[in-house]
Amino acid sequence: MANMAASMKGQKPELKHYLRSNKLPDVYEALLTGLAVMCPDDPLQFILDKLRCLKENGMEELNWDMFVEDYMKPPNKVITESNLDFIFNLDDESMIDFIDIPVNIQRGQGYFGGRFEGITKSRKIWPTPEMYATAYGHYNMSLKNMCFSAWMQYYLHKKKKKMAMEKKMTRAALHHAHRILRVHLNVWRDWLRYRKGCQAMAYHKLKRIYFVSVGIVLFREWRAVAKRNKDQREYFERLERGENVDDEETFGQGDGDAQDKLSGQLGIELAVKVFSFLDIADLARCACVCRSWKVIAYHSSLWNRLDFSKVRNRLAYGVTDLVTTKLLSKCRPYLIHLSMRGCTQLQSSTFLSISECRNLQDLNLSQCKGLDDESLKFVVKGCKIILYLNLSHTHITDASLRTISKYCHNVQFLSLAYCKKFSDRGLQYLSAGKCSKKLEYLDLSGCLQITPDGFKSLSSGCNMLQTLVLNEFPTLNDDCMMAVAAKCTKIHTLSILGSPLLTDETFKRLANNRNLRKLRIEGNQRISDLSLKAIGKNCTDLEHLYLADCQRLTDASLKAIANCSKLVVCNIADVVQITNTGVQSLAEGSCASSMRELNLTNCIRVGDMAMFNIRKFKNLVYLSVCFCEHISEKSGIELLGQLHALVSLDISGCNCSDEGLSSLGKYNNHLRDVTLSECADITDLGLQKFTQQCKDIERLDLSHCKLLTDGAIKNLAFCCRYLTSLNLAGCKLITNLSIQYLSGVCHHLHTLDISGCIIITDKALKYLRKGCKKLKYLTMLYCKGITKHAAMKMTRHVPALKFSDDEIPVYYGYK
């Protein structure tokens, strides 16, 4: 097509006009189109046939696709104009040479802007230089556009190719890194699988060894328990058969092996630790055994603390000057704590020896009748670093307090309880001394000679006091306490038991002290709910509250202190106006989570609903509901069993029988201290079920449970081997057989009360001496079957013994 157009370019216009007028290009186009589309086998014959047809039909219906059959024609028209027209019209000179310019006959505008008149006619026009420049510029711009477009396409193609390559490289690097990580992960996984396998094998081996060891221990323990139970059963059977077992060795008393393992197998540190549990008398005896024991007994750490009060009843002639001076001379370089409480035979030589103990920090001279002002002066002049000094129940005067203020510069603890001979002037000396700013604890209980002037002097000088004890002070009034409350603002513990003259004004003033942690009040009939409201509002950190026998207090007081979130101990015994509503206020307050001890003794209006609310005290350890008669057995006592943290419980005088006692032990077997005094409906069956469930009982009070017999004590002794305190006062059916049961099994028993057990005889004391070696407190009041001679003989083995063979009092209820 391009070659044909080029060949027609140089022909004359007349030839082109002839070809156009005779429609030769159209004929040529139609023939070519037919040949190209139909593709006949004989092209020449096809041309001749079509020309003949064209001659017969004429040129009127000539079309470029007329020689193409209908089935070969495309459904849509592709070419809009004839290619041959393009070929034959592609002559710039012809197009330029002849241009038809229309001219309006009247008035008109020509094609090139001129105005013409007349008809349309052809005129030959040549291109101007401006037209050539414009055409060249357009052509050049087209070429530039074409080149720029081509270069841009090439640049974009290269950029796209480069970005694709970078993306592939990034993916390849990431893939390579993942491959490396996968390799390392597989290696680590194999190593981990190997280590886990080794650990699993080791765990199974250790587990097997552990279970075998536990099995051996359990088997040995089971064997020992089975043997002990067998021996106990045989022992009880022999007792019931009436066989003589007096001369037999009670079981559990040793195996006859008396080797010295302390000096041989144990080291010196462990041996000293064992000896530290002995008192002075036992240490002295151990020092006489052998040379190795003497070395251990005289170890310095065993002599930094001496307590003569524990051995004053064990020594034949008591604690005398000879004994004390000898011991103090040996241990004075090491002695730090010394207690002479209750040593009434001491004289000046002992106090002179104490003054030579320069390192002494804690000194207790309570109830020392031989202590006077001169003796105390020797002591404090020698022991200048004393921190704790107890002078209660002595005969000191103002001179002693003057000596203390002069020489004891570091004393922090001072007890002057029940010292009757000093006066307000002594407190003036104390407050003016150098120790006044360091004194933190002061006990003035029972010092009735002190007046408000003395308290004013005390509060002005000793304003750093943190603990103040004023028990059994019936003359204490508001004038005395106002000065203390105003100036001693750091007090956090205050005890004023037995001070009936104090009113709400004192306690309101004390409530302004926000440091108050412990407050103990007893027997005050003037304090009211107003005081407790002030305390509950200001003293939010209160931890210990003792309000026994304060009759004017009501439920409003408990509601006021319910928001003390740190309250641990609450004692409202004998406050008869407290009801279930007050207990509910405590249970719903913020103190419920911290409460550990609650005493509701003789709160006669407290009933089952209070027990329902007490269950909210999840951390309650001690609870006393003595003589709360409105607490029933099924709705009240059984609910107490749901307090799983409860360790100590006192339900004396409540409506508790065998069923309630059994339910209590069923739901809470962690009880250690239980008081069942005057629960008259408890029988052997109920106690048997209870002891079978609570085998860890250590302290049990069964006083005045008159239906109990030897069978109950037999079950108690068999199940509760670790019993340390037992009260059987008023159990009139108890005989010597019960004491024989206890002495045969309960070797840890140190407190026993058998007052009113009229059937028990001297034979029972023989059993106690043989079996209960640790017995320290024995009460045998109104025991008519025991002779005075047997009781005096028992005093050699029991440090604290009370005995009388008087007639049974009426309140015991014996007929």
Side-chain angles (χ1 to χ4, degrees):
M1 186 72 68
N3 293 332
M4 187 179 294
S7 63
M8 291 299 295
K9 186 176 181 180
Q11 300 298 328
K12 296 181 179 180
E14 291 82 0
L15 179 59
K16 293 181 179 181
H17 182 72
Y18 173 78
L19 293 175
R20 182 180 295 278
S21 61
N22 291 300
K23 297 184 178 181
L24 290 180
D26 296 335
V27 173
Y28 181 69
E29 183 180 17
L31 290 174
L32 287 178
T33 302
L35 288 172
V37 175
M38 298 303 295
C39 298
D41 296 334
D42 189 358
L44 293 178
Q45 186 62 36
F46 177 79
I47 294 173
L48 292 175
D49 293 340
K50 297 303 177 183
L51 290 174
R52 191 179 297 111
C53 180
L54 186 63
K55 182 178 180 181
E56 294 175 356
N57 296 328
M59 296 292 184
E60 289 78 7
E61 296 180 1
L62 181 61
N63 196 6
W64 66 276
D65 58 347
M66 67 177 296
F67 298 138
V68 179
E69 298 295 334
D70 293 337
Y71 68 91
M72 294 295 291
K73 294 180 180 180
N76 298 321
K77 186 177 181 180
V78 178
I79 301 176
T80 58
E81 62 179 345
S82 174
N83 291 327
L84 293 179
D85 290 339
F86 170 76
I87 293 172
F88 287 100
N89 292 330
L90 190 60
D91 189 354
D92 296 336
E93 293 180 358
S94 61
M95 292 178 67
I96 295 173
D97 290 343
F98 297 93
I99 299 178
D100 294 334
I101 302 176
V103 179
N104 193 348
I105 298 176
Q106 302 295 329
R107 297 178 65 182
Q109 186 175 1
Y111 183 79
F112 294 100
R115 300 186 65 85
F116 302 94
E117 294 182 358
I119 61 174
T120 303
K121 54 183 178 180
S122 299
R123 185 178 178 181
K124 189 174 182 179
I125 302 175
W126 294 97
T128 62
E130 290 80 5
M131 294 174 66
Y132 279 113
T134 302
Y136 177 76
H138 177 74
Y139 180 72
N140 191 19
M141 184 59 67
S142 299
L143 288 178
K144 288 181 179 180
N145 290 337
M146 182 179 66
C147 293
F148 180 76
S149 298
W151 174 81
M152 182 60 71
Q153 292 295 329
Y154 172 77
Y155 172 76
L156 293 176
H157 175 71
K158 293 293 289 184
K159 183 178 180 181
K160 184 177 180 181
K161 188 175 180 181
K162 184 178 180 181
M163 291 177 64
M165 183 59 67
E166 290 179 355
K167 186 180 293 184
K168 289 181 180 179
M169 291 301 294
T170 304
R171 293 178 61 186
L174 183 62
H175 177 71
H176 179 68
H178 286 175
R179 288 287 301 272
I180 294 176
L181 289 176
R182 190 177 294 108
V183 170
H184 289 292
L185 180 63
N186 292 333
V187 174
W188 174 80
R189 188 182 297 166
D190 295 338
W191 177 83
L192 182 64
R193 191 180 296 111
Y194 169 74
R195 293 297 301 170
K196 283 187 175 181
C198 295
Q199 291 177 1
M201 293 177 60
Y203 171 75
H204 288 300
K205 290 181 180 179
L206 293 176
K207 187 176 180 181
R208 182 176 179 276
I209 295 173
Y210 170 75
F211 283 128
V212 170
S213 302
V214 170
I216 293 173
V217 172
L218 291 177
F219 179 77
R220 289 177 178 175
E221 190 65 24
W222 170 81
R223 187 171 181 272
V225 172
K227 185 177 182 302
R228 187 165 58 248
N229 291 340
K230 180 181 178 182
D231 295 341
Q232 289 180 2
R233 193 175 295 107
E234 292 177 354
Y235 179 78
F236 289 156
E237 289 176 356
R238 289 199 301 271
L239 291 179
E240 292 176 353
R241 290 195 300 265
E243 297 181 4
N244 187 11
V245 294
D246 294 345
D247 298 331
E248 297 180 3
E249 192 73 26
T250 56
F251 55 87
Q253 295 299 311
D255 54 0
D257 187 6
Q259 297 179 358
D260 179 15
K261 296 182 180 180
L262 282 176
S263 58
Q265 299 179 4
L266 294 180
I268 186 66
E269 294 183 359
L270 294 179
V272 169
K273 185 66 176 177
V274 173
F275 274 55
S276 65
F277 294 97
L278 304 178
D279 54 28
I280 302 173
D282 293 333
L283 280 176
R285 293 188 181 96
C286 291
C288 300
V289 174
C290 60
R291 187 179 298 275
S292 60
W293 279 38
K294 183 177 181 180
V295 173
I296 298 172
Y298 281 103
H299 194 273
S300 60
S301 62
L302 297 177
W303 296 96
N304 60 6
R305 182 186 297 270
L306 291 182
D307 191 353
F308 287 96
S309 63
K310 294 182 178 180
V311 297
R312 66 179 186 271
N313 295 325
R314 296 180 57 186
L315 300 179
Y317 301 100
V319 180
T320 60
D321 292 334
L322 180 63
V323 175
T324 56
T325 53
K326 185 177 181 181
L327 289 175
L328 290 175
S329 62
K330 292 182 178 180
C331 64
R332 61 186 180 186
Y334 322 111
L335 191 60
I336 297 176
H337 307 274
L338 177 62
S339 176
M340 295 287 185
R341 182 175 60 86
C343 299
T344 58
Q345 303 180 28
L346 301 180
Q347 300 298 326
S348 59
S349 58
T350 297
F351 301 115
L352 188 61
S353 299
I354 294 175
S355 65
E356 297 175 356
C357 302
R358 307 299 183 183
N359 296 321
L360 194 62
Q361 298 180 12
D362 182 3
L363 178 60
N364 189 344
L365 299 177
S366 176
Q367 301 178 15
C368 292
K369 296 181 179 180
L371 181 67
D372 54 13
D373 296 338
E374 193 66 25
S375 300
L376 184 62
K377 186 175 182 179
F378 289 142
V379 172
V380 297
K381 286 181 68 175
C383 306
K384 295 184 179 181
I385 63 172
I386 284 183
L387 300 177
Y388 305 94
L389 183 59
N390 191 340
L391 303 175
S392 59
H393 297 277
T394 58
H395 302 292
I396 62 171
T397 64
D398 294 336
S400 295
L401 294 182
R402 186 174 184 178
T403 303
I404 293 173
S405 65
K406 184 176 181 180
Y407 296 104
C408 298
H409 298 166
N410 300 311
V411 67
Q412 299 176 5
F413 178 102
L414 181 60
S415 177
L416 303 174
Y418 305 99
C419 296
K420 306 291 186 179
K421 295 187 177 181
F422 73 90
S423 63
D424 295 342
R425 184 176 295 275
L427 294 180
Q428 290 179 1
Y429 293 146
L430 189 64
S431 61
K434 295 182 179 180
C435 66
S436 60
K437 300 302 179 183
K438 296 184 179 180
L439 193 62
E440 297 179 358
Y441 181 100
L442 181 61
D443 189 353
L444 297 175
S445 300
C447 299
L448 306 183
Q449 70 276 13
I450 303 177
T451 65
D453 294 334
F455 282 100
K456 290 180 182 179
S457 301
L458 178 67
S459 59
S460 62
C462 304
N463 51 13
M464 303 299 290
L465 280 175
Q466 297 181 8
T467 301
L468 182 60
V469 181
L470 300 172
N471 297 333
E472 297 187 23
F473 214 122
T475 60
L476 191 67
N477 54 29
D478 293 339
D479 295 335
C480 299
M481 293 301 299
M482 284 299 180
V484 175
K487 296 183 179 181
C488 300
T489 57
K490 294 189 177 182
I491 291 180
H492 60 70
T493 301
L494 180 62
S495 179
I496 44 179
L497 306 181
S499 299
L501 301 181
L502 296 178
T503 64
D504 289 334
E505 296 300 324
T506 295
F507 297 106
K508 288 180 181 179
R509 183 66 63 88
L510 289 172
N512 294 328
N513 181 9
R514 299 181 181 272
N515 296 321
L516 197 62
R517 299 289 187 275
K518 296 182 180 180
L519 179 61
R520 296 170 58 86
I521 308 170
E522 182 179 6
N524 191 310
Q525 311 305 326
R526 298 187 179 187
I527 184 173
S528 66
D529 296 335
L530 296 177
S531 300
L532 269 297
K533 289 180 180 179
I535 293 172
K537 181 180 179 181
N538 297 327
C539 306
T540 55
D541 294 335
L542 196 65
E543 298 175 1
H544 185 117
L545 186 60
Y546 186 92
L547 300 171
D549 195 21
C550 297
Q551 303 295 335
R552 294 183 61 190
L553 299 181
T554 64
D555 295 335
S557 298
L558 298 187
K559 185 177 181 180
I561 64 173
N563 293 325
C564 298
S565 58
K566 298 182 180 180
L567 191 62
V568 177
V569 179
C570 183
N571 189 333
I572 48 176
D574 299 313
V575 183
V576 295
Q577 296 193 50
I578 297 297
T579 64
N580 297 332
T581 304
V583 178
Q584 182 179 359
S585 299
L586 277 181
E588 293 177 352
S590 57
C591 65
S593 59
S594 62
M595 187 75 69
R596 294 179 62 85
E597 297 183 18
L598 181 61
N599 192 337
L600 298 173
T601 300
N602 289 328
C603 295
I604 57 177
R605 300 185 182 182
V606 171
D608 294 336
M609 186 56 66
M611 300 303 102
F612 179 80
N613 290 308
I614 284 177
R615 295 187 307 167
K616 300 177 183 178
F617 298 113
K618 300 298 182 181
N619 298 319
L620 196 64
V621 177
Y622 170 81
L623 176 64
S624 176
V625 289
C626 296
F627 302 104
C628 295
E629 300 176 354
H630 294 288
I631 298 177
S632 63
E633 184 175 20
K634 293 185 178 181
S635 301
I637 302 298
E638 291 183 2
L639 290 175
L640 296 180
Q642 300 180 16
L643 294 171
H644 300 293
L646 197 64
V647 175
S648 179
L649 177 63
D650 189 349
I651 53 174
S652 301
C654 294
N655 299 318
C656 182
S657 63
D658 293 343
E659 185 177 357
L661 189 60
S662 177
S663 300
L664 184 63
K666 178 180 179 181
Y667 294 110
N668 187 355
N669 54 6
H670 302 292
L671 290 172
R672 298 292 185 274
D673 183 1
V674 180
T675 303
L676 303 172
S677 179
E678 299 188 30
C679 294
D681 297 331
I682 294 178
T683 63
D684 294 351
L685 180 61
L687 188 61
Q688 177 183 355
K689 293 181 179 179
F690 178 74
T691 52
Q692 288 176 353
Q693 294 160 349
C694 300
K695 296 184 179 181
D696 296 330
I697 287 289
E698 298 177 2
R699 293 173 294 275
L700 185 61
D701 188 348
L702 299 172
S703 59
H704 302 285
C705 295
K706 301 175 183 178
L707 300 180
L708 297 180
T709 64
D710 293 336
I713 307 304
K714 175 183 177 182
N715 291 309
L716 175 64
F718 185 80
C719 297
C720 305
R721 299 187 182 93
Y722 300 103
L723 199 66
T724 60
S725 178
L726 179 62
N727 191 343
L728 298 176
C731 299
K732 60 181 180 180
L733 301 180
I734 299 298
T735 66
N736 293 336
L737 188 59
S738 295
I739 305 302
Q740 197 168 4
Y741 288 144
L742 293 173
S743 61
V745 181
C746 301
H747 302 300
H748 300 281
L749 196 66
H750 64 72
T751 303
L752 179 62
D753 190 348
I754 54 175
S755 300
C757 298
I758 55 179
I759 307 178
I760 292 178
T761 62
D762 296 344
K763 194 174 183 181
L765 301 185
K766 182 180 180 181
Y767 298 142
L768 289 177
R769 288 195 301 271
K770 181 180 292 187
C772 299
K773 301 290 187 180
K774 298 181 180 180
L775 196 62
K776 297 181 179 180
Y777 303 95
L778 179 59
T779 305
M780 301 182 298
L781 303 178
Y782 317 118
C783 294
K784 301 176 65 175
I786 299 176
T787 62
K788 291 183 179 180
H789 175 72
M792 290 298 296
K793 187 177 180 180
M794 196 66 185
T795 55
R796 304 175 189 173
H797 304 275
V798 180
L801 186 143
K802 296 180 180 180
F803 169 75
S804 71
D805 54 357
D806 299 336
E807 293 292 333
I808 303 295
V810 179
Y811 63 84
Y812 268 60
Y814 289 3
K815 295 182 180 180

